[in-house]
Amino acid sequence: MFNPFKQLTRPHLHNLAEAKSVVGWEQFCLRMENAKLYHVHELSKFLDSGIYRFENSNTVFIDPVRVLNRSYTRFRVSPSAYYCRFFETNVCSNPKKRKRKQKKTHMLNERELAADQRHQEVKPLLLIAHEALLAAIDLLNFVGKLNGDFGSSMKCGVEESFIELGRVWQAPMYEITLNFNQCSVIDQFREPRVLPLFNNLVANETGDDVEAEILDRTYILPRESCFFMGSFKLQHFLFLLKSDMKYPTLPNRYFLSLPIKQLTHSEGALVALWMTNREKLRDFVEKELFPTWGVKYVATIYWLKVKLDGSLISDLDLFHHRPYEYLLLGYCSGVVSLTVVASSEHNSTLQAVKGNQVIISIPGDYSRKPPIRELLLEHVPGPKTARCIELFAREMTAGWCSWGNEPLHFQESRYFLGD
């Protein structure tokens, strides 16, 4: 084996320290070359999957459009429709920007102090994740060109309000027509199928996209997916609609009645809950909601929101408008104990949940969450392939069941590019 310290007689090496510096430089160059190869490999995978994993880091960057497109065979999600908040060329954008009033500084109350302390604790993690993104020049160059990818901008139009349709007395009479691909090799899926729209499980059991018609509008259903559209009637409580909200919301206490235990697998299940930075809400989830659901908290994932140029959508320290949200993860135990689930002995493909993960992406439309289902499946216990459900869903995903009062919100054909 070659030993560089035996070559000290060479004129350009005068002492042991210089020899060591040469070896250190060689090791540095080797690490840089390996890092470059890793980056090229990850960028190549990113172009196909939409997921980029930073080396030696718990940080992941995702392109939601590419991730969502993997659910479809003949259609593609329109980037200009998904990223409409950041596309200046979007004809549907509102040129009038609301000016925020300057708020007077005030003393923080107890909950606000607790929220600020939590923010200070996670801030270094988010800064490191953001620095990793800014250092990935090739990735940033690609991200900056997203507004020029895959075709023209979204078609304008008034969205159908399924919330309002579900409230009228004619709701039970509304129907959805599933128009299957005529090239289907399965005879039972050659003819159109007409089904009740509300309070009915509507499924696309084929391996191809399905064009569905509702009141002269077309919607795209991904392969092997289903939805149940209807209000959550829990203990005779209904959604409370607020005029200043873009969608109906429930008071916190109503979430306690969600049938999580009945929906989860007997061998256990992963439960993921999106949450804002409100300390009151975090306190409610940790002390009341998860215990009532029988869920044991295991980790937090942070969603960091950036613009097309990689900069944060707002200042990191902006108190009431932080550029990140929380995703709380927990396990609902069944026959398989949480200890076995956490140790990954029950299933060799199950990965233990790591804390303090950061997911970076460009946000979509108002309150639209990034498609991180593939990342979550790595931590799902029980049989494979896992059966997954999204509550209060506003879009559909291949292989998943979407349950809520507007699961077709982002499935209208104007959000897609044709086959």
Side-chain angles (χ1 to χ4, degrees), residues 345-388:
E345 294 176 357
H346 174 62
N347 193 314
S348 59
T349 61
L350 178 65
Q351 299 182 22
V353 179
K354 296 179 181 179
N356 294 332
Q357 297 184 68
V358 180
I359 295 173
I360 306 177
S361 76
I362 303 170
D365 203 355
Y366 182 81
S367 193
R368 191 175 189 179
K369 301 298 186 286
I372 61 171
R373 301 164 185 86
E374 182 176 337
L375 301 177
L376 295 178
L377 287 176
E378 300 173 352
H379 313 299
V380 174
K384 306 297 179 184
T385 306
R387 299 174 62 186
C388 306

mmCIF file of all heavy atoms in Angstrom, residues 345-388:
data_model
loop_
_atom_site.group_PDB
_atom_site.id
_atom_site.type_symbol
_atom_site.label_atom_id
_atom_site.label_comp_id
_atom_site.label_asym_id
_atom_site.label_seq_id
_atom_site.Cartn_x
_atom_site.Cartn_y
_atom_site.Cartn_z
ATOM 1 N N GLU A 345 -38.675 -3.994 13.389
ATOM 2 C CA GLU A 345 -38.501 -5.435 13.317
ATOM 3 C C GLU A 345 -39.713 -6.115 12.697
ATOM 4 O O GLU A 345 -39.616 -7.209 12.159
ATOM 5 C CB GLU A 345 -38.268 -5.999 14.725
ATOM 6 C CG GLU A 345 -36.952 -5.527 15.335
ATOM 7 C CD GLU A 345 -36.798 -6.035 16.764
ATOM 8 O OE1 GLU A 345 -37.750 -6.699 17.245
ATOM 9 O OE2 GLU A 345 -35.756 -5.772 17.378
ATOM 10 N N HIS A 346 -40.877 -5.466 12.810
ATOM 11 C CA HIS A 346 -42.105 -6.074 12.287
ATOM 12 C C HIS A 346 -42.087 -6.138 10.765
ATOM 13 O O HIS A 346 -42.605 -7.065 10.166
ATOM 14 C CB HIS A 346 -43.317 -5.269 12.765
ATOM 15 C CG HIS A 346 -44.605 -5.732 12.162
ATOM 16 N ND1 HIS A 346 -45.109 -7.000 12.345
ATOM 17 C CD2 HIS A 346 -45.497 -5.090 11.364
ATOM 18 C CE1 HIS A 346 -46.251 -7.120 11.702
ATOM 19 N NE2 HIS A 346 -46.500 -5.983 11.099
ATOM 20 N N ASN A 347 -41.473 -5.166 10.134
ATOM 21 C CA ASN A 347 -41.423 -5.130 8.669
ATOM 22 C C ASN A 347 -40.073 -4.585 8.260
ATOM 23 O O ASN A 347 -39.691 -3.489 8.655
ATOM 24 C CB ASN A 347 -42.555 -4.232 8.131
ATOM 25 C CG ASN A 347 -42.739 -4.422 6.627
ATOM 26 O OD1 ASN A 347 -41.787 -4.448 5.866
ATOM 27 N ND2 ASN A 347 -43.991 -4.546 6.224
ATOM 28 N N SER A 348 -39.362 -5.351 7.456
ATOM 29 C CA SER A 348 -38.001 -4.979 7.082
ATOM 30 C C SER A 348 -37.943 -3.705 6.258
ATOM 31 O O SER A 348 -36.914 -3.048 6.189
ATOM 32 C CB SER A 348 -37.348 -6.125 6.296
ATOM 33 O OG SER A 348 -38.103 -6.417 5.127
ATOM 34 N N THR A 349 -39.071 -3.348 5.605
ATOM 35 C CA THR A 349 -39.084 -2.152 4.783
ATOM 36 C C THR A 349 -39.466 -0.907 5.573
ATOM 37 O O THR A 349 -39.397 0.197 5.057
ATOM 38 C CB THR A 349 -40.088 -2.314 3.619
ATOM 39 O OG1 THR A 349 -41.399 -2.509 4.149
ATOM 40 C CG2 THR A 349 -39.716 -3.504 2.751
ATOM 41 N N LEU A 350 -39.876 -1.091 6.837
ATOM 42 C CA LEU A 350 -40.296 0.035 7.660
ATOM 43 C C LEU A 350 -39.082 0.769 8.204
ATOM 44 O O LEU A 350 -38.177 0.174 8.775
ATOM 45 C CB LEU A 350 -41.166 -0.464 8.814
ATOM 46 C CG LEU A 350 -41.665 0.599 9.806
ATOM 47 C CD1 LEU A 350 -42.609 1.557 9.119
ATOM 48 C CD2 LEU A 350 -42.345 -0.063 10.991
ATOM 49 N N GLN A 351 -39.058 2.080 8.005
ATOM 50 C CA GLN A 351 -37.969 2.899 8.506
ATOM 51 C C GLN A 351 -38.436 3.672 9.738
ATOM 52 O O GLN A 351 -39.535 4.212 9.757
ATOM 53 C CB GLN A 351 -37.496 3.879 7.427
ATOM 54 C CG GLN A 351 -36.960 3.212 6.173
ATOM 55 C CD GLN A 351 -36.457 4.226 5.163
ATOM 56 O OE1 GLN A 351 -36.127 5.357 5.515
ATOM 57 N NE2 GLN A 351 -36.402 3.837 3.904
ATOM 58 N N ALA A 352 -37.591 3.698 10.750
ATOM 59 C CA ALA A 352 -37.919 4.453 11.950
ATOM 60 C C ALA A 352 -38.012 5.938 11.612
ATOM 61 O O ALA A 352 -37.255 6.449 10.787
ATOM 62 C CB ALA A 352 -36.846 4.220 13.013
ATOM 63 N N VAL A 353 -38.967 6.618 12.234
ATOM 64 C CA VAL A 353 -39.180 8.042 11.956
ATOM 65 C C VAL A 353 -38.060 8.859 12.590
ATOM 66 O O VAL A 353 -37.775 8.728 13.789
ATOM 67 C CB VAL A 353 -40.538 8.508 12.507
ATOM 68 C CG1 VAL A 353 -40.734 9.992 12.225
ATOM 69 C CG2 VAL A 353 -41.660 7.703 11.871
ATOM 70 N N LYS A 354 -37.421 9.689 11.801
ATOM 71 C CA LYS A 354 -36.386 10.582 12.307
ATOM 72 C C LYS A 354 -37.015 11.924 12.663
ATOM 73 O O LYS A 354 -37.854 12.445 11.930
ATOM 74 C CB LYS A 354 -35.294 10.790 11.254
ATOM 75 C CG LYS A 354 -34.526 9.535 10.883
ATOM 76 C CD LYS A 354 -33.480 9.837 9.827
ATOM 77 C CE LYS A 354 -32.712 8.581 9.428
ATOM 78 N NZ LYS A 354 -31.712 8.872 8.377
ATOM 79 N N GLY A 355 -36.595 12.477 13.776
ATOM 80 C CA GLY A 355 -37.092 13.779 14.167
ATOM 81 C C GLY A 355 -36.380 14.895 13.440
ATOM 82 O O GLY A 355 -35.321 14.705 12.833
ATOM 83 N N ASN A 356 -37.001 16.082 13.452
ATOM 84 C CA ASN A 356 -36.394 17.288 12.881
ATOM 85 C C ASN A 356 -36.070 17.157 11.396
ATOM 86 O O ASN A 356 -35.018 17.594 10.932
ATOM 87 C CB ASN A 356 -35.131 17.665 13.656
ATOM 88 C CG ASN A 356 -35.429 18.083 15.079
ATOM 89 O OD1 ASN A 356 -36.509 18.592 15.377
ATOM 90 N ND2 ASN A 356 -34.489 17.846 15.971
ATOM 91 N N GLN A 357 -36.965 16.545 10.645
ATOM 92 C CA GLN A 357 -36.826 16.530 9.197
ATOM 93 C C GLN A 357 -37.396 17.831 8.628
ATOM 94 O O GLN A 357 -38.364 18.377 9.152
ATOM 95 C CB GLN A 357 -37.566 15.337 8.596
ATOM 96 C CG GLN A 357 -37.037 13.986 9.030
ATOM 97 C CD GLN A 357 -37.752 12.858 8.328
ATOM 98 O OE1 GLN A 357 -37.631 12.659 7.119
ATOM 99 N NE2 GLN A 357 -38.527 12.098 9.090
ATOM 100 N N VAL A 358 -36.806 18.290 7.530
ATOM 101 C CA VAL A 358 -37.260 19.524 6.877
ATOM 102 C C VAL A 358 -37.578 19.221 5.418
ATOM 103 O O VAL A 358 -36.762 18.629 4.703
ATOM 104 C CB VAL A 358 -36.189 20.629 6.950
ATOM 105 C CG1 VAL A 358 -36.701 21.901 6.255
ATOM 106 C CG2 VAL A 358 -35.828 20.932 8.399
ATOM 107 N N ILE A 359 -38.767 19.596 5.010
ATOM 108 C CA ILE A 359 -39.182 19.469 3.615
ATOM 109 C C ILE A 359 -39.305 20.871 3.038
ATOM 110 O O ILE A 359 -40.016 21.716 3.582
ATOM 111 C CB ILE A 359 -40.522 18.728 3.489
ATOM 112 C CG1 ILE A 359 -40.365 17.282 3.970
ATOM 113 C CG2 ILE A 359 -41.036 18.759 2.057
ATOM 114 C CD1 ILE A 359 -41.664 16.530 4.043
ATOM 115 N N ILE A 360 -38.599 21.129 1.951
ATOM 116 C CA ILE A 360 -38.608 22.444 1.317
ATOM 117 C C ILE A 360 -39.349 22.341 -0.011
ATOM 118 O O ILE A 360 -39.133 21.406 -0.785
ATOM 119 C CB ILE A 360 -37.178 22.956 1.057
ATOM 120 C CG1 ILE A 360 -36.352 22.945 2.347
ATOM 121 C CG2 ILE A 360 -37.205 24.358 0.472
ATOM 122 C CD1 ILE A 360 -34.905 23.360 2.155
ATOM 123 N N SER A 361 -40.236 23.289 -0.267
ATOM 124 C CA SER A 361 -40.931 23.313 -1.555
ATOM 125 C C SER A 361 -41.504 24.694 -1.794
ATOM 126 O O SER A 361 -41.598 25.519 -0.877
ATOM 127 C CB SER A 361 -42.059 22.272 -1.596
ATOM 128 O OG SER A 361 -43.180 22.701 -0.859
ATOM 129 N N ILE A 362 -41.885 24.928 -3.037
ATOM 130 C CA ILE A 362 -42.608 26.138 -3.401
ATOM 131 C C ILE A 362 -44.091 25.863 -3.145
ATOM 132 O O ILE A 362 -44.633 24.887 -3.671
ATOM 133 C CB ILE A 362 -42.386 26.501 -4.873
ATOM 134 C CG1 ILE A 362 -40.890 26.673 -5.144
ATOM 135 C CG2 ILE A 362 -43.143 27.768 -5.240
ATOM 136 C CD1 ILE A 362 -40.556 26.806 -6.608
ATOM 137 N N PRO A 363 -44.764 26.648 -2.315
ATOM 138 C CA PRO A 363 -46.172 26.358 -1.995
ATOM 139 C C PRO A 363 -47.087 26.562 -3.187
ATOM 140 O O PRO A 363 -46.808 27.361 -4.091
ATOM 141 C CB PRO A 363 -46.480 27.357 -0.874
ATOM 142 C CG PRO A 363 -45.508 28.472 -1.066
ATOM 143 C CD PRO A 363 -44.262 27.842 -1.625
ATOM 144 N N GLY A 364 -48.178 25.822 -3.177
ATOM 145 C CA GLY A 364 -49.176 25.963 -4.226
ATOM 146 C C GLY A 364 -50.246 26.955 -3.830
ATOM 147 O O GLY A 364 -49.975 27.950 -3.153
ATOM 148 N N ASP A 365 -51.481 26.673 -4.228
ATOM 149 C CA ASP A 365 -52.603 27.564 -3.939
ATOM 150 C C ASP A 365 -52.851 27.632 -2.441
ATOM 151 O O ASP A 365 -52.278 26.880 -1.654
ATOM 152 C CB ASP A 365 -53.850 27.060 -4.664
ATOM 153 C CG ASP A 365 -54.873 28.165 -4.881
ATOM 154 O OD1 ASP A 365 -54.634 29.288 -4.388
ATOM 155 O OD2 ASP A 365 -55.898 27.904 -5.532
ATOM 156 N N TYR A 366 -53.732 28.522 -2.051
ATOM 157 C CA TYR A 366 -54.009 28.787 -0.639
ATOM 158 C C TYR A 366 -54.276 27.499 0.125
ATOM 159 O O TYR A 366 -55.170 26.723 -0.244
ATOM 160 C CB TYR A 366 -55.202 29.740 -0.520
ATOM 161 C CG TYR A 366 -55.553 30.113 0.898
ATOM 162 C CD1 TYR A 366 -54.842 31.101 1.569
ATOM 163 C CD2 TYR A 366 -56.581 29.468 1.573
ATOM 164 C CE1 TYR A 366 -55.155 31.440 2.879
ATOM 165 C CE2 TYR A 366 -56.903 29.800 2.875
ATOM 166 C CZ TYR A 366 -56.180 30.792 3.521
ATOM 167 O OH TYR A 366 -56.484 31.120 4.819
ATOM 168 N N SER A 367 -53.485 27.252 1.169
ATOM 169 C CA SER A 367 -53.636 26.121 2.079
ATOM 170 C C SER A 367 -53.405 24.763 1.412
ATOM 171 O O SER A 367 -53.673 23.732 2.022
ATOM 172 C CB SER A 367 -55.023 26.127 2.731
ATOM 173 O OG SER A 367 -55.075 25.234 3.804
ATOM 174 N N ARG A 368 -52.888 24.743 0.193
ATOM 175 C CA ARG A 368 -52.603 23.469 -0.470
ATOM 176 C C ARG A 368 -51.277 22.923 0.053
ATOM 177 O O ARG A 368 -50.236 23.556 -0.078
ATOM 178 C CB ARG A 368 -52.550 23.649 -1.985
ATOM 179 C CG ARG A 368 -52.519 22.335 -2.755
ATOM 180 C CD ARG A 368 -52.587 22.567 -4.255
ATOM 181 N NE ARG A 368 -52.769 21.326 -4.971
ATOM 182 C CZ ARG A 368 -52.884 21.230 -6.303
ATOM 183 N NH1 ARG A 368 -52.823 22.329 -7.043
ATOM 184 N NH2 ARG A 368 -53.056 20.055 -6.884
ATOM 185 N N LYS A 369 -51.310 21.744 0.633
ATOM 186 C CA LYS A 369 -50.132 21.150 1.235
ATOM 187 C C LYS A 369 -49.316 20.378 0.198
ATOM 188 O O LYS A 369 -49.859 19.889 -0.791
ATOM 189 C CB LYS A 369 -50.540 20.204 2.379
ATOM 190 C CG LYS A 369 -51.342 20.894 3.480
ATOM 191 C CD LYS A 369 -50.523 21.997 4.150
ATOM 192 C CE LYS A 369 -51.240 22.615 5.342
ATOM 193 N NZ LYS A 369 -52.342 23.493 4.969
ATOM 194 N N PRO A 370 -48.009 20.263 0.402
ATOM 195 C CA PRO A 370 -47.170 19.537 -0.554
ATOM 196 C C PRO A 370 -47.479 18.044 -0.533
ATOM 197 O O PRO A 370 -47.844 17.497 0.522
ATOM 198 C CB PRO A 370 -45.744 19.817 -0.060
ATOM 199 C CG PRO A 370 -45.899 20.085 1.401
ATOM 200 C CD PRO A 370 -47.222 20.785 1.543
ATOM 201 N N PRO A 371 -47.339 17.355 -1.654
ATOM 202 C CA PRO A 371 -47.629 15.913 -1.715
ATOM 203 C C PRO A 371 -46.463 15.095 -1.164
ATOM 204 O O PRO A 371 -45.554 14.704 -1.896
ATOM 205 C CB PRO A 371 -47.823 15.665 -3.217
ATOM 206 C CG PRO A 371 -46.952 16.698 -3.877
ATOM 207 C CD PRO A 371 -46.980 17.902 -2.983
ATOM 208 N N ILE A 372 -46.495 14.820 0.118
ATOM 209 C CA ILE A 372 -45.390 14.099 0.762
ATOM 210 C C ILE A 372 -45.795 12.673 1.130
ATOM 211 O O ILE A 372 -45.171 12.044 1.997
ATOM 212 C CB ILE A 372 -44.907 14.848 2.015
ATOM 213 C CG1 ILE A 372 -46.038 14.965 3.030
ATOM 214 C CG2 ILE A 372 -44.379 16.218 1.646
ATOM 215 C CD1 ILE A 372 -45.584 15.490 4.364
ATOM 216 N N ARG A 373 -46.826 12.165 0.489
ATOM 217 C CA ARG A 373 -47.330 10.837 0.838
ATOM 218 C C ARG A 373 -46.280 9.754 0.643
ATOM 219 O O ARG A 373 -46.183 8.818 1.432
ATOM 220 C CB ARG A 373 -48.576 10.541 -0.004
ATOM 221 C CG ARG A 373 -49.689 11.568 0.206
ATOM 222 C CD ARG A 373 -50.742 11.493 -0.893
ATOM 223 N NE ARG A 373 -51.745 12.542 -0.759
ATOM 224 C CZ ARG A 373 -51.607 13.768 -1.261
ATOM 225 N NH1 ARG A 373 -50.518 14.098 -1.927
ATOM 226 N NH2 ARG A 373 -52.566 14.669 -1.111
ATOM 227 N N GLU A 374 -45.496 9.877 -0.413
ATOM 228 C CA GLU A 374 -44.455 8.879 -0.663
ATOM 229 C C GLU A 374 -43.426 8.859 0.465
ATOM 230 O O GLU A 374 -42.936 7.794 0.855
ATOM 231 C CB GLU A 374 -43.764 9.172 -1.996
ATOM 232 C CG GLU A 374 -42.690 8.163 -2.357
ATOM 233 C CD GLU A 374 -42.086 8.417 -3.722
ATOM 234 O OE1 GLU A 374 -42.752 9.073 -4.556
ATOM 235 O OE2 GLU A 374 -40.952 7.971 -3.954
ATOM 236 N N LEU A 375 -43.103 10.023 1.000
ATOM 237 C CA LEU A 375 -42.155 10.102 2.107
ATOM 238 C C LEU A 375 -42.740 9.468 3.367
ATOM 239 O O LEU A 375 -42.016 8.848 4.153
ATOM 240 C CB LEU A 375 -41.769 11.557 2.376
ATOM 241 C CG LEU A 375 -41.130 12.322 1.202
ATOM 242 C CD1 LEU A 375 -40.874 13.770 1.597
ATOM 243 C CD2 LEU A 375 -39.833 11.652 0.769
ATOM 244 N N LEU A 376 -44.050 9.620 3.563
ATOM 245 C CA LEU A 376 -44.685 9.062 4.757
ATOM 246 C C LEU A 376 -44.784 7.544 4.693
ATOM 247 O O LEU A 376 -44.734 6.871 5.726
ATOM 248 C CB LEU A 376 -46.080 9.661 4.937
ATOM 249 C CG LEU A 376 -46.153 11.161 5.226
ATOM 250 C CD1 LEU A 376 -47.608 11.604 5.338
ATOM 251 C CD2 LEU A 376 -45.395 11.520 6.498
ATOM 252 N N LEU A 377 -44.929 6.998 3.497
ATOM 253 C CA LEU A 377 -45.100 5.556 3.353
ATOM 254 C C LEU A 377 -43.894 4.784 3.870
ATOM 255 O O LEU A 377 -44.012 3.596 4.206
ATOM 256 C CB LEU A 377 -45.351 5.197 1.882
ATOM 257 C CG LEU A 377 -46.733 5.567 1.332
ATOM 258 C CD1 LEU A 377 -46.818 5.256 -0.154
ATOM 259 C CD2 LEU A 377 -47.824 4.825 2.087
ATOM 260 N N GLU A 378 -42.737 5.433 3.938
ATOM 261 C CA GLU A 378 -41.541 4.774 4.455
ATOM 262 C C GLU A 378 -41.707 4.400 5.925
ATOM 263 O O GLU A 378 -41.001 3.530 6.422
ATOM 264 C CB GLU A 378 -40.328 5.689 4.292
ATOM 265 C CG GLU A 378 -40.017 6.071 2.852
ATOM 266 C CD GLU A 378 -38.919 7.114 2.757
ATOM 267 O OE1 GLU A 378 -38.517 7.640 3.827
ATOM 268 O OE2 GLU A 378 -38.461 7.409 1.645
ATOM 269 N N HIS A 379 -42.641 5.053 6.611
ATOM 270 C CA HIS A 379 -42.797 4.861 8.052
ATOM 271 C C HIS A 379 -44.122 4.199 8.430
ATOM 272 O O HIS A 379 -44.480 4.179 9.607
ATOM 273 C CB HIS A 379 -42.689 6.212 8.760
ATOM 274 C CG HIS A 379 -41.524 7.044 8.317
ATOM 275 N ND1 HIS A 379 -40.224 6.638 8.464
ATOM 276 C CD2 HIS A 379 -41.475 8.256 7.705
ATOM 277 C CE1 HIS A 379 -39.412 7.567 7.978
ATOM 278 N NE2 HIS A 379 -40.144 8.548 7.515
ATOM 279 N N VAL A 380 -44.852 3.676 7.448
ATOM 280 C CA VAL A 380 -46.161 3.089 7.714
ATOM 281 C C VAL A 380 -46.012 1.623 8.105
ATOM 282 O O VAL A 380 -45.413 0.840 7.355
ATOM 283 C CB VAL A 380 -47.075 3.208 6.476
ATOM 284 C CG1 VAL A 380 -48.391 2.473 6.706
ATOM 285 C CG2 VAL A 380 -47.342 4.674 6.159
ATOM 286 N N PRO A 381 -46.532 1.216 9.273
ATOM 287 C CA PRO A 381 -46.452 -0.190 9.688
ATOM 288 C C PRO A 381 -47.530 -1.017 9.015
ATOM 289 O O PRO A 381 -48.371 -0.506 8.280
ATOM 290 C CB PRO A 381 -46.680 -0.106 11.196
ATOM 291 C CG PRO A 381 -47.593 1.069 11.350
ATOM 292 C CD PRO A 381 -47.158 2.058 10.290
ATOM 293 N N GLY A 382 -47.523 -2.319 9.276
ATOM 294 C CA GLY A 382 -48.570 -3.184 8.758
ATOM 295 C C GLY A 382 -48.254 -3.709 7.379
ATOM 296 O O GLY A 382 -47.129 -3.624 6.887
ATOM 297 N N PRO A 383 -49.256 -4.264 6.718
ATOM 298 C CA PRO A 383 -49.048 -4.928 5.425
ATOM 299 C C PRO A 383 -48.668 -3.943 4.338
ATOM 300 O O PRO A 383 -49.001 -2.773 4.388
ATOM 301 C CB PRO A 383 -50.418 -5.560 5.139
ATOM 302 C CG PRO A 383 -51.394 -4.694 5.885
ATOM 303 C CD PRO A 383 -50.670 -4.281 7.132
ATOM 304 N N LYS A 384 -47.962 -4.438 3.350
ATOM 305 C CA LYS A 384 -47.622 -3.675 2.159
ATOM 306 C C LYS A 384 -48.374 -4.299 0.988
ATOM 307 O O LYS A 384 -48.417 -5.523 0.868
ATOM 308 C CB LYS A 384 -46.113 -3.717 1.893
ATOM 309 C CG LYS A 384 -45.268 -3.271 3.088
ATOM 310 C CD LYS A 384 -45.504 -1.828 3.465
ATOM 311 C CE LYS A 384 -44.664 -1.414 4.664
ATOM 312 N NZ LYS A 384 -44.939 -0.054 5.118
ATOM 313 N N THR A 385 -49.002 -3.576 0.102
ATOM 314 C CA THR A 385 -49.029 -2.126 0.016
ATOM 315 C C THR A 385 -50.032 -1.555 1.025
ATOM 316 O O THR A 385 -51.115 -2.096 1.223
ATOM 317 C CB THR A 385 -49.433 -1.699 -1.399
ATOM 318 O OG1 THR A 385 -48.567 -2.319 -2.321
ATOM 319 C CG2 THR A 385 -49.467 -0.215 -1.570
ATOM 320 N N ALA A 386 -49.637 -0.431 1.660
ATOM 321 C CA ALA A 386 -50.461 0.157 2.704
ATOM 322 C C ALA A 386 -51.741 0.749 2.121
ATOM 323 O O ALA A 386 -51.758 1.249 1.000
ATOM 324 C CB ALA A 386 -49.669 1.231 3.432
ATOM 325 N N ARG A 387 -52.801 0.699 2.910
ATOM 326 C CA ARG A 387 -54.065 1.357 2.554
ATOM 327 C C ARG A 387 -54.098 2.690 3.291
ATOM 328 O O ARG A 387 -54.005 2.735 4.513
ATOM 329 C CB ARG A 387 -55.246 0.476 2.941
ATOM 330 C CG ARG A 387 -55.269 -0.863 2.239
ATOM 331 C CD ARG A 387 -56.384 -1.746 2.763
ATOM 332 N NE ARG A 387 -57.689 -1.146 2.532
ATOM 333 C CZ ARG A 387 -58.821 -1.674 3.000
ATOM 334 N NH1 ARG A 387 -58.799 -2.780 3.721
ATOM 335 N NH2 ARG A 387 -59.978 -1.087 2.747
ATOM 336 N N CYS A 388 -54.227 3.772 2.527
ATOM 337 C CA CYS A 388 -54.085 5.111 3.107
ATOM 338 C C CYS A 388 -55.328 5.954 2.841
ATOM 339 O O CYS A 388 -55.963 5.835 1.792
ATOM 340 C CB CYS A 388 -52.856 5.810 2.524
ATOM 341 S SG CYS A 388 -51.328 4.847 2.701
#
